[in-house]
């Protein structure tokens, strides 16, 4: 088993006390939106400094030693004149820079107040977290790290900070927003700065971009906000953190330019996500629509829908100085001048990676789960999605799962002033597009999805019926961080040859490694995750542990069954990817062709009734499975001419397929589920 060095970095106490919430829409419903937008706004700033304007910031970036040095280096490498490169750098800054104007922020405050009151019942914020953030902004440069599940996220963040009289952030946004013309410019004037999705080795762009972010942080000009996951999660699972911006944000501390930097994880939880259908179709292969102003106006029909409540939890500020203590030797940064770009050492890369995982875990642990998340989890485990579950049984199961979720440290918002039946009924009403109640049974609205589509091919029929399942899955996924470690252990116990603890651990380790791209599982923390899972199952009376064995108790079978079934779609999805690679993949198969070819293969299996879970049609799952197989060496990338093809090691793939097949129960009612 591994050492426990990463334990303190990756695992925070699960059963901690969380702050109470206040609904910021309550006051908005009882007072003038115009008065709110035009009110006196006097935020506390870093060390009470007077912020510079956007033009002064651009000048500071272009005159920085780093940008001048990189211009000199690129000039030597390419033969281009320094003047030409300086002009290009100016163009990059102009394209990138924010132009934050309070008048635009006030307009957004007025408009969003009206829109949010229409869309949402409440927007609940933990005010203790706001007070901690206010103190952090005054003392150190601050980086805000919200979870990212909706386009609403960055608008919501700015509205909340404006509401509480906090300094407005500058926000890293993708270039695709610039295609929205008027709206894109308004976002720029409300604090967005635009960056390319990839730099392709462009040294000058990287130098200007990194200097822009570091100048804001070093001088405490504003909190910097970016999404650690890099993009919106279409599946409501946390994504593997992207390290580029976090590396840049930590750089001023590592080089001794600031005493400390505060990283603030923020968890944004939606009871109902505006883009739920869009995401489901995207995961099924329908291209993402291009961002445009006309598209925004076409989306106005959502204003007639009810999207429930939002909970926004500002987590404890994390000190980079405290994180780095004993982990990073900052003397290495004194060996060369600060303005000369230098690749970080392995210890720094490991440190940033582990910090990123810890921050995403902090986001997960403070995500507020709504009752529908539990109902979706139960409905997806029903033997027959078409027939459904009796309403009374669904309510009883929801109460059982509510208690289990709380025992495992889930942050669950279950209205205590309502009876269980009322809670379930309210959730079903909010998600009326996904479920139907007939003859006392609750089932997913599969037939309605098919009927709305009109005449379609058999393949399109499978995809249309999968849409409500995919949406339901995205809500189930919100609870995965609570259950994934116990679920890995439950699956390992069910499939290991004996109850021997070491053998169960070996199976647990295999599954955890396989699904490292699927869930947020901290690097080098297999032993800690295993011990956490054992602790939770033993604490809830599901298993009994001794030095040699893990024994399931009589009362534990229900929990073990639920936990195992939670992972079955992932296990079958990965198994079927292996089957595809063995049966149909050719040496000419490219990475770009992979998802389309796998989807076609899966549709054929679903129609034949040999594939149980329509959730496996998710392109996210398919890409994660391929990433895992590449990481495990079962598939290699081979460059041929202008394309990169996939070379399959069929012996290894066959072995994996057999291993995963042994972890699946005999399919029951597979055709009925579809």
């Amino acid at each position: 088993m591994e050492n426990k060095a990463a334990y303190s970095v990756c695992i925070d106490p699960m059963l901690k006390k969380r702050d109470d919430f206040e609904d910021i829409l309550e006051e908005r419903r009882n007072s003038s939106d115009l008065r709110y937008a035009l009110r006196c706004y006097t935020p506390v700033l870093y060390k009470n400094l007077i912020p510079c304007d956007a033009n002064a910031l651009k000048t500071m970036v272009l005159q920085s030693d780093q940008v001048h040095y990189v211009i000199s280096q690129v000039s030597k490498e390419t033969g281009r004149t320094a003047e030409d490169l300086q002009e290009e750098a100016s163009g990059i800054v102009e394209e990138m820079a924010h132009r934050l104007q309070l008048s635009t922020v006030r307009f957004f405050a007025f408009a969003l107040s009206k829109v949010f009151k229409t869309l949402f019942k409440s927007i609940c914020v933990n005010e203790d977290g706001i007070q901690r953030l206010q103190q952090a902004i005054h003392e150190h440069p601050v980086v805000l790290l919200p979870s990212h599940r909706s386009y609403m996220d960055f608008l919501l963040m700015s509205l909340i900070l404006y509401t509480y009289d906090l300094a407005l952030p500058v926000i890293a946004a993708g270039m695709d927003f610039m295609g929205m013309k008027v709206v894109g410019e308004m976002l720029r004037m409300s604090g967005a700065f635009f960056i390319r999705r990839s730099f392709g080795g462009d040294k000058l762009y990287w130098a200007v971009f990194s200097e822009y972010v570091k100048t804001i942080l070093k001088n405490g000009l504003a909190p910097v906000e970016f999404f650690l996951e890099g993009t919106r999660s279409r599946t409501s699972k946390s994504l593997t953190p992207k390290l580029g911006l976090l590396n840049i944000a930590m750089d001023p501390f590592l080089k001794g330019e600031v005493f400390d930097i505060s990283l603030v994880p923020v968890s944004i939880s939606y009871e109902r996500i505006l883009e739920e259908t869009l995401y489901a179709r995207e995961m099924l292969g329908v291209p993402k629509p291009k961002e445009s102003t006309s598209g925004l106006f076409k989306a106005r029909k959502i204003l007639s829908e009810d999207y429930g409540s939002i909970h926004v939890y500002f987590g404890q500020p994390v000190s980079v100085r405290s994180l780095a203590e004993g982990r990073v030797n900052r003397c290495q940064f004194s060996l060369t001048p600060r303005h000369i770009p230098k690749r970080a050492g392995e210890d720094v890369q490991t440190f940033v990676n582990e910090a990123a995982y810890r921050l995403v875990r902090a986001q997960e642990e403070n995500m507020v789960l709504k009752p529908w998340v539990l109902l979706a989890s139960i409905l997806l485990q029903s033997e027959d999605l078409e027939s459904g579950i009796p309403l009374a049984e669904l309510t009883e199961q929801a109460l059982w799962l509510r208690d289990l979720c709380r025992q495992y440290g889930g942050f669950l918002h279950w209205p205590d002033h309502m009876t269980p039946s009322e809670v379930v009924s309210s959730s079903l009403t909010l998600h009326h597009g996904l479920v139907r109640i007939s003859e006392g049974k609750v089932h997913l609205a599969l037939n309605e999805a098919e009927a709305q589509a009109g005449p379609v091919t058999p393949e399109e029929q499978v995809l249309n019926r999968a849409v409500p399942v995919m949406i339901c899955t995205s809500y189930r996924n919100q609870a995965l961080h609570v259950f994934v470690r116990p679920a890995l252990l439950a699956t390992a116990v069910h499939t290991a040859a004996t109850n021997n603890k070491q053998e169960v651990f070996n199976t647990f380790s295999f599954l955890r490694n396989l699904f490292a791209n699927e869930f947020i599982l901290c690097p080098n923390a297999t032993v800690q995750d295993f011990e956490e899972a054992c602790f939770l199952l033993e604490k809830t009376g599901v298993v009994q542990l001794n030095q040699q064995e893990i024994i399931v108790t009589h009362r534990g079978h229900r929990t073990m069954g639920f936990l195992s079934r939670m992972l079955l779609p992932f296990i079958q999805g990965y198994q079927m990817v292996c089957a595809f690679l063995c049966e149909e993949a050719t040496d000419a198969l490219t990475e770009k062709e992979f998802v389309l070819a796998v989807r076609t293969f899966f549709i054929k299996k679903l129609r034949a009734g040999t594939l149980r879970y329509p959730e496996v049609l998710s392109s996210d799952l398919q890409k994660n499975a391929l990433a895992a197989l590449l990481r495990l060496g079962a598939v290699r990338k081979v460059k041929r001419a202008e394309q990169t093809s996939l070379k399959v090691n069929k012996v290894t793939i066959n072995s994996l397929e057999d291993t995963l097949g042994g972890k699946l129960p005999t399919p029951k009612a597979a055709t009925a589920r579809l």
Side-chain angles (χ1 to χ4, degrees):
M1 291 191 184
E2 305 156 33
N3 66 56
K4 302 187 180 182
Y7 187 67
S8 61
V9 173
C10 291
I11 300 177
D12 295 320
M14 294 290 285
L15 301 175
K16 60 185 178 181
K17 185 182 183 307
R18 273 95 168 199
D19 302 335
D20 294 327
F21 288 94
E22 292 291 333
D23 177 14
I24 65 170
L25 285 188
E26 188 175 345
E27 185 181 343
R28 297 275 38 79
R29 297 188 197 283
N30 298 315
S31 60
S32 162
D33 290 323
L34 186 60
R35 190 177 298 119
Y36 162 71
L38 298 177
R39 69 191 178 84
C40 180
Y41 173 69
T42 53
V44 172
L45 301 173
Y46 173 55
K47 294 183 177 176
N48 294 320
L49 294 176
I50 298 173
C52 68
D53 63 25
N55 288 326
L57 171 60
K58 288 187 278 191
T59 302
M60 290 166 71
V61 171
L62 292 171
Q63 292 179 353
S64 68
D65 290 339
Q66 175 173 297
V67 171
H68 281 169
Y69 175 81
V70 172
I71 284 174
S72 170
Q73 292 300 109
V74 173
S75 178
K76 289 176 186 175
E77 292 170 8
T78 63
R80 294 174 61 188
T81 65
E83 291 75 16
D84 184 27
L85 290 166
Q86 185 71 38
E87 189 175 334
E88 183 181 338
S90 298
I92 292 170
V93 172
E94 283 298 323
E95 177 188 64
M96 179 187 302
H98 78 81
R99 290 200 296 273
L100 182 60
Q101 294 179 8
L102 187 56
S103 57
T104 306
V105 173
R106 292 190 186 281
F107 169 78
F108 268 120
F110 176 78
L112 290 175
S113 179
K114 290 196 173 298
V115 170
F116 285 175
K117 284 188 293 184
T118 303
L119 289 176
F120 304 108
K121 292 175 184 173
S122 60
I123 298 176
C124 301
V125 180
N126 65 320
E127 293 197 334
D128 288 348
I130 291 291
Q131 291 173 15
R132 291 191 294 265
L133 175 59
Q134 185 176 38
Q135 184 70 22
I137 289 173
H138 180 63
E139 293 177 350
H140 304 292
V142 165
V143 178
L144 293 166
L145 300 168
S147 57
H148 201 15
R149 304 291 180 269
S150 170
Y151 274 142
M152 285 283 138
D153 294 332
F154 62 88
L155 298 173
L156 187 60
M157 286 287 292
S158 293
L159 183 76
I160 290 170
L161 297 188
Y162 177 78
T163 299
Y164 284 102
D165 222 26
L166 294 177
L168 292 169
V170 293
I171 308 153
M175 281 289 187
D176 36 6
F177 283 102
M178 289 183 68
M180 298 178 75
K181 296 180 182 174
V182 175
V183 173
E185 279 307 301
M186 290 187 70
L187 292 174
R188 191 191 293 275
M189 289 189 286
S190 63
F193 66 95
F194 297 100
I195 57 174
R196 298 175 189 169
R197 292 291 181 187
S198 61
F199 305 157
D202 189 331
K203 293 180 182 178
L204 184 58
Y205 189 92
W206 176 260
V208 172
F209 163 59
S210 60
E211 187 62 31
Y212 186 82
V213 175
K214 288 188 285 187
T215 300
I216 295 169
L217 283 171
K218 285 186 291 188
N219 295 280
L221 303 179
V224 173
E225 178 185 320
F226 61 88
F227 300 109
L228 198 49
E229 298 164 279
T231 187
R232 289 174 297 158
S233 170
R234 273 71 169 171
T235 62
S236 290
K237 288 194 289 101
S238 293
L239 306 178
T240 302
K242 305 293 188 291
L243 305 182
L245 262 167
L246 189 61
N247 267 306
I248 292 170
M250 288 185 170
D251 198 61
F253 166 76
L254 295 173
K255 290 183 176 176
E257 295 174 283
V258 296
F259 180 77
D260 200 359
I261 293 171
S262 291
L263 308 174
V264 182
V266 184
S267 309
I268 306 175
S269 312
Y270 295 89
E271 189 168 14
R272 185 180 167 201
I273 297 172
L274 273 75
E275 303 100 322
E276 59 181 16
T277 303
L278 186 71
Y279 288 167
R281 293 192 175 281
E282 200 175 323
M283 288 297 99
L284 291 168
V286 178
K288 168 189 167 187
K290 186 179 177 182
E291 282 77 16
S292 66
T293 305
S294 61
L296 181 68
F297 287 116
K298 287 175 186 174
R300 285 180 299 172
K301 63 181 181 181
I302 66 172
L303 293 173
S304 62
E305 290 283 338
D306 177 7
Y307 288 89
S309 62
I310 304 175
H311 283 75
V312 183
Y313 195 98
F314 288 81
Q316 289 281 353
V318 177
S319 159
V320 175
R321 189 177 192 85
S322 297
L323 282 179
E325 190 173 352
R327 299 292 313 284
V328 177
N329 179 10
R330 292 198 290 159
C331 293
Q332 62 185 285
F333 295 98
S334 304
L335 301 176
T336 54
R338 288 170 176 164
H339 65 272
I340 297 178
K342 180 180 175 238
R343 184 175 175 81
E346 192 174 327
D347 63 328
V348 175
Q349 293 177 49
T350 301
F351 162 70
V352 174
N353 188 46
E354 289 182 350
Y357 272 87
R358 171 176 177 169
L359 290 161
V360 176
R361 282 292 307 272
Q363 288 176 349
E364 286 185 331
E365 288 170 11
N366 289 325
M367 295 293 272
V368 177
L369 307 179
K370 313 296 167 60
W372 172 247
V373 171
L374 307 184
L375 298 177
S377 302
I378 295 162
L379 287 168
L380 286 169
Q381 290 197 11
S382 60
E383 284 293 341
D384 186 349
L385 294 180
E386 193 104 43
S387 299
I389 301 174
L391 181 57
E393 183 183 331
L394 180 64
T395 304
E396 183 276 326
Q397 288 193 43
L399 288 174
W400 171 81
L401 189 53
R402 175 197 68 181
D403 295 340
L404 186 68
C405 182
R406 285 175 171 167
Q407 288 173 316
Y408 286 0
F411 195 178
L412 183 64
H413 176 71
W414 184 282
D416 292 325
H417 62 280
M418 298 167 67
T419 66
S421 296
E422 289 171 338
V423 172
V424 171
S425 176
S426 174
S427 292
L428 295 176
T429 300
L430 184 68
H431 297 274
H432 59 88
L434 288 178
V435 289
R436 295 290 178 269
I437 302 176
S438 59
E439 299 179 358
K441 284 188 171 184
V442 181
H443 61 88
L444 293 185
L446 302 176
N447 292 327
E448 284 83 346
E450 186 179 351
Q452 290 170 10
V456 292
T457 65
E459 291 75 16
E460 289 171 332
Q461 181 185 33
V462 171
L463 291 173
N464 287 330
R465 287 167 65 82
V467 169
V469 179
M470 297 293 288
I471 297 172
C472 209
T473 299
S474 73
Y475 288 102
R476 185 276 317 275
N477 288 347
Q478 292 182 22
L480 282 176
H481 69 275
V482 176
F483 297 111
V484 67
R485 288 157 190 80
L488 287 168
L489 180 56
T491 304
V493 169
H494 273 159
T495 56
T498 70
N499 291 333
N500 179 271
K501 198 172 183 180
Q502 184 62 49
E503 191 165 334
V504 171
F505 172 78
N506 292 342
T507 306
F508 176 94
S509 183
F510 163 77
L511 290 168
R512 186 187 182 280
N513 187 34
L514 183 68
F515 292 130
N517 299 85
E518 201 71 55
F519 311 116
I520 297 300
L521 300 165
C522 294
N524 306 313
T526 304
V527 172
Q528 294 77 23
D529 284 347
F530 181 74
E531 289 176 350
E532 180 187 320
C534 287
F535 169 76
L536 291 173
L537 290 183
E538 186 177 37
K539 183 187 78 167
T540 50
V542 176
V543 299
Q544 290 178 344
L545 302 174
N546 57 44
Q547 289 293 322
Q548 301 298 325
E549 290 185 314
I550 300 176
I551 301 166
V552 181
T553 65
H554 178 71
R555 59 177 282 206
H557 287 291
R558 180 180 187 181
T559 302
M560 292 291 276
F562 169 80
L563 293 171
S564 297
R565 288 191 297 273
M566 209 163 207
L567 285 189
L568 286 181
F570 299 99
I571 292 173
Q572 186 170 64
Y574 279 47
Q575 183 206 18
M576 294 307 290
V577 167
C578 290
F580 162 77
L581 290 171
C582 283
E583 294 174 27
E584 302 206 2
T586 66
D587 287 345
L589 179 70
T590 66
E591 196 171 0
K592 189 176 283 188
E593 296 165 343
F594 169 79
V595 170
L596 181 60
V598 167
R599 184 180 297 122
T600 302
F601 179 76
F602 281 9
I603 288 172
K604 184 169 68 176
K605 295 290 184 182
L606 283 163
R607 291 187 63 218
T610 55
L611 183 51
R612 178 180 172 83
Y613 300 100
E615 301 97 294
V616 303
L617 288 169
S618 166
S619 59
D620 179 74
L621 182 146
Q622 295 154 13
K623 289 173 184 174
N624 287 339
L626 178 60
L629 295 174
L630 287 164
R631 178 167 44 79
L632 295 171
V635 178
R636 287 188 299 112
K637 291 183 182 180
V638 179
K639 290 203 171 185
R640 292 192 173 123
E642 296 180 359
Q643 296 191 96
T644 301
S645 59
L646 300 173
K647 177 72 174 175
V648 178
N649 182 330
K650 297 210 171 181
V651 173
T652 306
I653 289 289
N654 264 317
S655 174
L656 276 170
E657 184 187 356
D658 291 344
T659 302
L660 290 170
K663 301 186 188 310
L664 286 165
T666 304
K668 293 179 186 176
T671 308
R673 277 181 57 87
L674 301 172

